[in-house]
């Protein structure tokens, strides 16, 4: 998604149908909530988008308007701009001291050294590159406005192909069989792409889902979860497209975070200021098992698989003024840390 301060498709009108249910669920499960609020790490104001954790380098990366913010997960040392960028949307750690970020304003992807942010290559993408994911030995960049996927070989430091999909591409997830699953925000569908064949295999409608954004795949169970900015999550069998569940979540979700160890999906919902937790049963079917209070604006985030902490970039917002949206309170950008309850 683009990097506005709050999610697109947000309305600060009444959230009528879900508010009471979310509040009740959050209160009822408070004693058993899997997370509690921890530290708040301040950083410079400005827009942000996706976050990711580099478990090898022990760093959190946050895509910012002017580049990539890096936080050392062990020492707490903050590097406000590890590598400069032009309205950065996504940051993907590749291992071996490498990472790639996408620049929405310059239509490029930056391959950089994670140790010092040194630029290794600047590669052309389609228009408005957004999410970036690992796809086997390649990197797949979702060109949000152009509606195609740019494929990059990080070893060769080169663009090696494009795949036409169509529509406004959001987040994606890849499996080990050469398939890429992509949310198409303006068409309310999930597209299955054959990476070796550079072709679209299937278009799966996402019923009851307006504005699919975040997406995650649990490779152990083959379950895909799509978050919808309209306040629902759709769980699907990746292999055959069978819908396993359609669940009410908070409003304004822009990411799905996989907790692979616990087979949970964590969905930060920026409008309501909650983290909706989906847990899978023995057959892999997810259900809402907790609603954890966070903060309004916390719509993306990342999980540290070592400590179990969840990192949510956000800020404090003033009420919307007539004819406009909410505005960030100066000096309020921060990364909220959720500590695992156990």
């Amino acid at each position: 998604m683009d990097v506005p301060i709050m999610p697109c498709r947000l309305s600060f009108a009444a959230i009528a149908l879900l508010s009471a249910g979310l509040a009740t669920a959050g209160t009822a499960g408070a004693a058993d909530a899997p997370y509690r609020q921890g530290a708040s790490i301040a950083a410079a104001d400005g827009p942000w988008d996706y976050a990711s954790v580099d478990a090898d380098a022990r760093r959190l990366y946050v895509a910012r308007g002017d580049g990539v913010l890096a936080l050392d997960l062990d020492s707490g040392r903050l590097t406000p701009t590890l590598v400069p960028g032009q309205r950065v949307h996504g940051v993907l750690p590749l291992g071996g001291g490498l990472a790639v970020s996408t620049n929405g304003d310059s239509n490029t992807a930056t391959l950089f050294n994670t140790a010092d942010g040194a630029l290794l290559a600047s590669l052309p993408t389609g228009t408005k590159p957004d999410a970036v994911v690992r796809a086997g030995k390649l990197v797949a960049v979702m060109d949000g406005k152009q509606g195609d996927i740019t494929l990059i070989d990080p070893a060769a430091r080169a663009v090696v192909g494009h795949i036409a999909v169509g529509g406004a591409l959001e987040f994606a997830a890849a499996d080990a069989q050469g398939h890429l699953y992509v949310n198409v925000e303006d068409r309310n569908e999930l597209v299955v792409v054959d990476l070796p064949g550079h072709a679209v295999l299937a278009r799966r409608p996402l019923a009851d889902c307006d504005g699919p954004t975040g997406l995650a795949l649990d490779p152990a169970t083959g379950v895909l979860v799509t978050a919808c900015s309209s306040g629902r999550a759709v769980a699907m069998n990746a292999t055959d497209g069978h819908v396993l569940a359609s669940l009410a979540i908070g409003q304004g979700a822009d990411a799905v975070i996989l907790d692979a160890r616990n087979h949970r999906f964590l969905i930060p919902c920026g409008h309501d200021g909650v983290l909706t937790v989906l847990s899978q049963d023995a057959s892999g079917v997810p259900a809402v098992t907790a609603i954890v209070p966070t903060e309004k604006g916390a719509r993306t985030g990342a999980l540290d698989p070592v400590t179990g902490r969840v990192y949510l970039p956000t800020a404090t917002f003033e009420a919307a003024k007539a004819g406009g949206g909410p505005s960030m309170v100066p000096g309020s950008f921060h990364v909220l840390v959720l500590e695992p309850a156990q």
Side-chain angles (χ1 to χ4, degrees):
M1 183 174 285
D2 198 0
V3 283
I5 292 173
M6 295 289 284
C8 71
R9 298 178 179 268
L10 274 188
S11 167
F12 278 78
I15 51 176
L17 294 177
L18 285 176
S19 296
L22 290 173
T24 300
T27 301
D32 300 322
Y35 300 99
R36 57 179 176 80
Q37 289 195 18
S40 177
I41 303 166
D45 285 346
W48 71 90
D49 204 348
Y50 296 119
S52 58
V53 163
D54 186 337
D56 293 337
R58 303 296 303 135
R59 274 181 168 174
L60 170 77
Y61 301 121
V62 180
R64 302 297 310 270
D66 62 352
V68 176
L69 175 151
L71 172 70
D72 188 296
L73 296 175
D74 297 324
S75 71
R77 180 174 179 268
L78 187 74
T79 304
T81 308
L82 175 65
V83 59
Q86 299 77 42
R87 205 166 179 82
V88 178
H89 289 276
V91 188
L92 175 67
L94 299 174
L98 299 178
V100 63
S101 58
T102 59
N103 302 286
D105 280 356
S106 62
N107 301 326
T108 60
T110 299
L111 183 67
F112 64 93
N113 187 312
T114 59
D116 56 9
L119 176 67
L120 301 177
S122 180
L123 303 168
T125 64
T127 307
K128 193 184 163 188
D130 194 347
V132 53
V133 299
R134 193 69 181 258
K137 295 182 179 180
L138 301 180
V139 168
V141 176
M142 306 307 111
D143 299 321
K145 187 174 182 179
Q146 189 165 313
D148 72 3
I149 300 167
T150 297
L151 297 177
I152 294 171
D153 182 342
R157 302 183 185 181
V159 173
V160 294
H162 297 270
I163 303 173
V165 176
L169 306 189
E170 271 291 326
F171 211 79
D175 65 18
Q177 289 73 49
H179 301 124
L180 188 72
Y181 305 90
V182 188
N183 277 339
V184 184
E185 185 180 26
D186 59 343
R187 299 182 180 181
N188 295 340
E189 65 180 9
L190 187 148
V191 173
V192 184
V193 175
D194 172 27
L195 287 169
H198 289 200
V200 171
L201 293 179
R203 296 182 182 273
R204 300 173 177 174
L206 294 169
D208 302 324
C209 176
D210 186 22
T213 55
L215 179 68
L217 169 68
D218 185 344
T221 62
V223 174
L224 285 162
V225 169
T226 288
C228 313
S229 58
S230 57
R232 296 202 70 81
V234 178
M236 178 183 294
N237 181 294
T239 301
D240 60 15
H242 175 67
V243 174
L244 302 170
S246 179
L247 306 165
I249 61 171
Q251 294 276 343
D254 195 14
V256 180
I257 305 164
L258 176 66
D259 178 356
R261 180 183 301 169
N262 297 299
H263 300 292
R264 293 193 296 219
F265 298 92
L266 314 177
I267 306 178
C269 305
H271 181 279
D272 290 350
V274 297
L275 180 79
T276 305
V277 180
L278 310 184
S279 300
Q280 301 175 69
D281 64 16
S283 62
V285 177
V288 177
T289 53
I291 296 182
V292 181
T294 57
E295 295 179 16
K296 282 184 177 286
R299 70 186 197 276
T300 63
L303 171 81
D304 178 3
V306 175
T307 64
R309 294 188 180 109
V310 179
Y311 295 83
L312 306 171
T314 189
T316 303
F317 295 91
E318 298 174 331
K321 298 179 181 179
S327 58
M328 182 191 292
V329 174
S332 70
F333 178 84
H334 59 281
V335 177
L336 174 66
V337 183
L338 298 184
E339 297 282 350
Q342 297 179 351

